[in-house]
């Protein structure tokens, strides 16, 4: 029982008595004890005054989804609620926590979506959301497709928040094959409270219909990939196979076929654009290339943008077209002391044809009692080269053993090979001590083709040399002709003939230049009047009337005689030296007549000088001698 207000508790009495019995203690101690007693009394009074109030629900089955919070006003009174007592009030907020007591519910029973047939796997078709008024983890849901036909073409998953269902494409769709899908979708709570299972299953089901829309599609090949085969060595135009594609939107639409150039760089095949027939464009060689991987392009004729590709693998089938050959060149030796039937060398052969009868090889060696070596076929693509029963005759030159190789294909092919065997002197352990075969001197000389090539080269070089020499000689002759026709050179030669060095030094070479092109003379009297004339004589006009060649020549000759400016200029010194030793005297025109046919001139003496001066005599008007 709680003691009545104003009375001390029973446990307080001994303490009070202890305090009274210690009155003889000093005053300071009594004051400290009094303070402690007061604190104990206040605590006892406070404990007596406290009381508890419990808030409880007044109605059952409270629903958080209907009302989540309640505000409760509580009043407390003292004196047991009697008149004259004091009271106080406060507001208490009561919040209801959520439990998973509500199953999910689709707001509609049917959902309709549409998707284009070209949508690839993973394309989002639509969203579905089942409503759940619960909160947090109680509202998380999982979605699933119940019907089989829908689960094959579509899939559904929950978004990152755990509320919506995402419907996506699972496999490629085809409008021409199926235009709509109908299935059911179920939404289920992931966390279920067993206390509320009596409220029913915590899931809901809705129907979904997805319509597939048509879209322009490229042609579709009848196979995902083609595997064709053709034998090797066939003539161009051999049929290999055929590819086929159809337009899904319009099956009657024509298709054109082509081979992509990068897939057939050697241009080994061709394709018919209309029907897709593939043929060989040249002979094939299986040993060079077994597989040919082509890429065929099918394009709609009405729309070039709609095109599709397919891989075509063409295998080259083997035919027996390669004769067997030795695996390597064999050059072996045998000791001169070897015993008969001793193994010398194991020979192997290869056949490039495919493994089978075409690649099986048989060996045939020298036969007869005179054979120096024998061949034994091992029936496994190899043969053993053996000594015969009698030893090979010794000699320095190596033996050339012919071997015939045959295959088992159809047709049978064969070849001949040679194995070189040298007879050597060996040590007791079988190693070679000396093995010096005689040098095989090949016949000296060159082949006919090499000789013809050398003769052709030598002939070409000789022709070039002769042509070069002829061109040089022709060029020199042309220069000599021009030099002889040079007037100035002739004049200089003539001067040298006259007086020698003295005449050359006395003659002014500037007088030989063209007076019209010479520089004007310096002011003052000229250095030599006989060389550089004072003025040029005027040119006489041509007489009127018909042209007379003789008259015209006489006129021009008179002008030249009287014109002091026309070279060669007369010089007393020059012609003084020129006349020495000459039986005909001087040829100077200083004393000659001015007119032909006037006073007696030098025509008669010129006529008497002989045939060498006949042309000069004619120019001066001499009479022609009578014809004999």
């Amino acid at each position: 029982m709680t003691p009545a207000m104003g009375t001390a508790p029973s446990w307080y009495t001994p303490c009070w008595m202890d305090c009274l019995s210690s009155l003889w203690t000093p005053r300071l101690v009594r004051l400290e004890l009094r303070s402690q007693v007061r604190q104990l009394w206040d605590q006892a009074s406070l404990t007596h005054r406290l009381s508890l109030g419990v808030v409880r629900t007044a109605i059952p089955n409270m629903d958080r989804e209907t009302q989540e919070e309640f505000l409760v006003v509580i009043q407390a009174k003292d004196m047991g609620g009697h008149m004259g007592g004091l009271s106080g009030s406060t507001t208490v907020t009561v919040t209801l926590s959520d439990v998973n007591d509500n199953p999910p519910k689709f707001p509609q029973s049917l959902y309709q979506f549409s998707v284009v047939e070209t949508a690839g796997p993973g394309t989002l078709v639509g969203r579905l959301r089942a409503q759940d008024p619960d909160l947090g983890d109680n509202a998380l849901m999982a979605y699933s497709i119940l019907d089989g036909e829908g689960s094959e073409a579509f899939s559904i998953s929950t978004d990152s928040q755990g509320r919506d269902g995402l419907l996506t494409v699972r496999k490629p769709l085809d409008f021409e094959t199926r235009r709509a899908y109908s299935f059911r979708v179920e939404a289920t709570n992931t966390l279920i409270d067993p206390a509320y299972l009596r409220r029913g299953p915590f899931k809901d089901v809705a129907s979904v219909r997805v319509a597939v829309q048509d879209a322009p599609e490229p042609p579709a090949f009848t196979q995902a990939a083609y595997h064709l085969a053709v034998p090797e060595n066939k003539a161009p135009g051999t049929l290999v196979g055929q590819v086929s594609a159809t337009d899904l939107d319009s099956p009657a639409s024509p298709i054109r076929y082509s081979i992509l150039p990068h897939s057939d760089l050697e241009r080994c095949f061709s394709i018919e654009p209309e029907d897709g027939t593939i043929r060989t464009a040249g002979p094939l060689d299986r040993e060079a290339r077994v597989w040919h991987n082509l890429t065929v392009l099918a394009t709609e004729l009405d729309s070039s943008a709609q095109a599709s590709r397919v891989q075509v693998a063409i295998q080259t089938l083997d035919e027996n077209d390669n004769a067997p050959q030795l695996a390597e060149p064999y050059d072996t030796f045998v000791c001169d002391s070897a015993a008969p039937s001793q193994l010398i060398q194991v020979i192997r052969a290869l056949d490039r044809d495919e493994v089978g009868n075409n690649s099986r090889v048989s060996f045939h060696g020298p036969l007869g009692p005179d054979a120096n070596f024998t061949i034994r076929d091992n029936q496994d693509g190899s043969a053993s080269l053996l000594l015969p029963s009698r030893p090979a005759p010794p000699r320095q030159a190596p033996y050339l053993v012919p071997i015939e190789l045959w295959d088992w294909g159809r047709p049978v092919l064969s070849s001949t090979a040679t194995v070189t065997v040298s007879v050597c002197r060996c040590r007791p352990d079988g190693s070679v001590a000396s093995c010096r075969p005689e040098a095989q001197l090949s016949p000296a000389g060159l082949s006919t083709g090499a000789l013809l090539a050398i003769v052709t080269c030598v002939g070409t070089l000789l022709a070039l040399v002769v042509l070069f020499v002829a061109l040089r000689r022709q060029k020199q002759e042309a220069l000599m002709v021009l030099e002889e026709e040079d007037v100035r050179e002739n004049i200089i030669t003539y001067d040298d003939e006259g007086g020698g060095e003295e005449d050359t030094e006395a003659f002014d070479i500037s007088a030989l230049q063209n007076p019209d092109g010479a520089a004007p003379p310096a002011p003052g009297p000229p250095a030599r009047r006989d060389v550089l004339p004072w003025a040029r004589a005027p040119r006489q006009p041509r007489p009127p009337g018909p042209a007379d060649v003789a008259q015209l020549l006489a006129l021009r000759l008179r002008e030249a005689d009287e014109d002091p400016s026309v070279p060669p200029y007369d010089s007393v010194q020059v012609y003084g030296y020129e006349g020495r030793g000459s039986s005909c005297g001087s040829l100077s025109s200083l004393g000659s007549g001015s007119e032909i046919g006037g006073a007696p001139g030098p025509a008669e003496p010129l006529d008497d000088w002989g045939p060498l001066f006949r042309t000069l005599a004619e120019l001066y008007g001499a009479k022609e001698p009578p014809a004999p």
Side-chain angles (χ1 to χ4, degrees):
M1 292 294 293
T2 302
M5 187 175 296
T7 62
S10 58
W11 53 269
Y12 185 76
T13 303
C15 182
W16 179 257
M17 293 177 63
D18 292 340
C19 292
L20 293 179
S21 63
S22 61
L23 292 177
W24 61 86
T25 60
R27 181 178 179 83
L28 180 59
V29 174
R30 289 197 302 269
L31 293 175
E32 183 177 357
L33 290 174
R34 186 180 301 171
S35 175
Q36 294 178 359
V37 170
R38 174 62 64 185
Q39 292 179 1
L40 292 173
W41 178 262
D42 292 340
Q43 290 179 1
S45 300
L46 181 60
T47 302
H48 180 71
R49 290 194 301 268
L50 289 178
S51 62
L52 299 177
V54 179
V55 179
R56 300 180 184 275
T57 58
I59 58 176
N61 299 328
M62 301 184 69
D63 190 6
R64 186 202 64 81
E65 288 73 24
T66 303
Q67 185 174 353
E68 184 176 3
E69 292 183 351
F70 294 88
L71 301 179
V72 180
V73 180
I74 299 177
Q75 185 181 40
K77 292 183 178 181
D78 56 4
M79 294 182 63
H82 297 288
M83 294 294 295
L86 301 177
S87 64
S89 62
T90 184
T91 301
V92 178
T93 302
V94 179
T95 301
L96 300 180
S97 59
D98 183 62
V99 295
N100 191 10
D101 59 344
N102 293 280
K105 185 70 175 178
F106 283 105
Q108 59 191 62
S109 59
L110 178 62
Y111 291 85
Q112 294 186 359
F113 302 100
S114 62
V115 62
V116 182
E117 63 175 341
T118 56
T123 304
L124 179 64
V125 178
R127 286 176 175 264
L128 292 85
R129 169 174 286 191
Q131 297 179 354
D132 191 342
D134 295 327
L135 297 177
D137 295 342
N138 296 327
L140 297 179
M141 283 173 286
Y143 295 87
S144 61
I145 299 176
L146 299 180
D147 299 336
E149 64 175 274
S151 61
E152 294 178 358
F154 303 95
S155 61
I156 191 169
S157 60
T158 309
D159 64 352
S160 58
Q161 298 180 357
R163 301 301 298 270
D164 294 347
L166 305 179
L167 185 64
T168 57
V169 178
R170 185 174 182 178
K171 70 175 184 179
L173 305 176
D174 187 10
F175 173 81
E176 288 72 23
T177 304
R178 188 165 185 175
R179 301 187 178 185
Y181 293 86
S182 298
F183 50 90
R184 294 181 302 163
V185 174
E186 182 182 67
T188 307
N189 279 135
T190 57
L191 298 177
I192 299 177
D193 191 350
Y196 300 97
L197 288 177
R198 65 182 184 277
R199 297 197 176 187
F202 283 80
K203 58 185 178 180
D204 194 17
V205 177
S207 298
V208 177
R209 177 180 175 82
V210 179
V212 180
Q213 296 180 351
D214 188 19
E217 298 178 271
F221 285 92
T222 56
Q223 300 181 21
Y226 290 87
H227 179 198
L228 305 177
V230 60
E232 64 175 335
N233 301 325
K234 292 298 182 182
T238 302
L239 177 63
V240 179
Q242 184 179 14
V243 296
S244 178
T246 56
D247 185 1
L248 301 179
D249 300 325
S250 178
S253 177
I255 304 295
R256 294 190 65 85
Y257 302 90
S258 61
I259 299 176
L260 294 184
H262 72 272
S263 63
D264 187 18
L265 298 177
E266 296 84 3
R267 301 295 189 271
C268 298
F269 302 92
S270 62
I271 189 171
E272 293 293 336
E274 291 77 14
D275 58 2
T277 301
I278 300 177
R279 299 180 181 274
T280 59
L284 304 179
D285 186 6
R286 190 206 67 86
E287 286 71 31
R289 188 173 180 181
V290 180
W291 289 94
H292 298 265
N293 297 316
L294 307 182
T295 302
V296 177
L297 182 68
T299 307
E300 293 183 7
L301 190 60
D302 300 335
S303 177
S304 59
Q306 298 297 332
S308 58
R309 304 180 181 183
V310 69
Q311 296 295 325
V312 180
I314 301 177
Q315 181 182 7
T316 306
L317 301 180
D318 182 52
E319 289 187 351
N320 192 25
D321 59 344
N322 291 277
Q325 303 289 337
L326 290 181
E328 58 180 294
Y330 288 95
D331 188 354
T332 184
F333 72 95
V334 61
C335 296
D336 54 1
S337 60
S341 303
Q342 180 178 342
L343 175 63
I344 300 175
Q345 179 72 42
V346 176
I347 303 170
R348 298 188 180 275
L350 296 178
D351 194 334
R352 297 178 59 193
D353 293 322
E354 193 174 7
V355 177
N357 290 334
N358 294 345
S359 62
R360 183 179 174 183
V361 181
S362 297
F363 296 83
H364 300 276
L367 300 176
D370 298 334
N372 295 322
F373 300 92
T374 59
I375 298 295
R376 183 181 65 192
D377 193 350
N378 299 328
Q379 304 297 326
D380 59 352
S382 66
S384 298
L385 178 63
L386 305 173
L387 281 174
S389 57
R390 58 180 180 81
R395 69 171 184 175
Q396 295 296 330
Y399 289 93
L400 301 179
V401 182
I403 300 176
E404 293 185 0
L405 307 174
W406 297 78
D407 62 11
W408 291 64
R410 293 186 179 179
V412 178
L413 299 179
S414 64
S415 65
T416 302
T418 303
V419 177
T420 304
V421 181
S422 301
V423 179
C424 303
R425 185 173 52 180
C426 301
R427 300 184 181 91
D429 59 353
S431 60
V432 177
S434 64
C435 188
R436 298 180 180 177
E438 294 179 354
Q440 299 296 322
L441 298 177
S442 60
L446 298 175
S447 62
T448 305
L451 290 176
L452 290 177
I454 294 175
V455 171
T456 303
C457 294
V458 172
T460 304
L461 292 176
L462 292 176
L464 291 176
V465 171
V466 171
L467 180 61
F468 179 74
V469 172
L471 292 176
R472 289 290 301 271
R473 182 176 298 176
Q474 182 179 2
K475 183 177 180 181
Q476 291 179 359
E477 292 177 356
L479 292 176
M480 292 175 61
V481 173
L482 294 176
E483 291 175 357
E484 292 177 356
E485 294 179 357
D486 193 350
V487 178
R488 293 174 294 176
E489 185 176 353
N490 293 338
I491 295 174
I492 295 174
T493 304
Y494 171 74
D495 292 340
D496 292 340
E497 289 177 357
E501 297 296 333
E502 298 176 357
D503 191 10
T504 305
E505 294 176 358
F507 190 77
D508 188 2
I509 197 63
S510 64
L512 299 178
Q513 299 178 355
N514 186 5
D516 295 336
R528 294 180 60 183
R529 296 187 180 183
D530 59 341
V531 175
L532 185 62
W534 285 91
R536 185 174 182 178
R539 190 180 182 90
Q540 295 183 6
R542 178 180 174 182
D548 188 357
V549 177
Q551 232 177 9
L552 181 60
L553 290 177
L555 177 62
R556 294 292 178 253
L557 180 60
R558 185 171 61 251
E559 290 179 357
D561 292 340
E562 296 177 355
D563 189 359
S565 62
V566 177
Y569 306 107
D570 292 335
S571 174
V572 176
Q573 182 181 2
V574 171
Y575 286 98
Y577 286 106
E578 186 181 16
R580 292 179 184 178
S582 178
S583 59
C584 60
S586 176
L587 297 178
S588 174
S589 60
L590 293 177
S592 60
S594 61
E595 292 184 3
I596 299 176
E604 292 76 4
L606 291 177
D607 194 10
D608 298 337
W609 289 350
L612 296 177
F613 294 90
R614 180 180 301 171
T615 303
L616 185 60
E618 293 176 358
L619 292 176
Y620 278 89
K623 295 181 180 180
E624 297 182 359

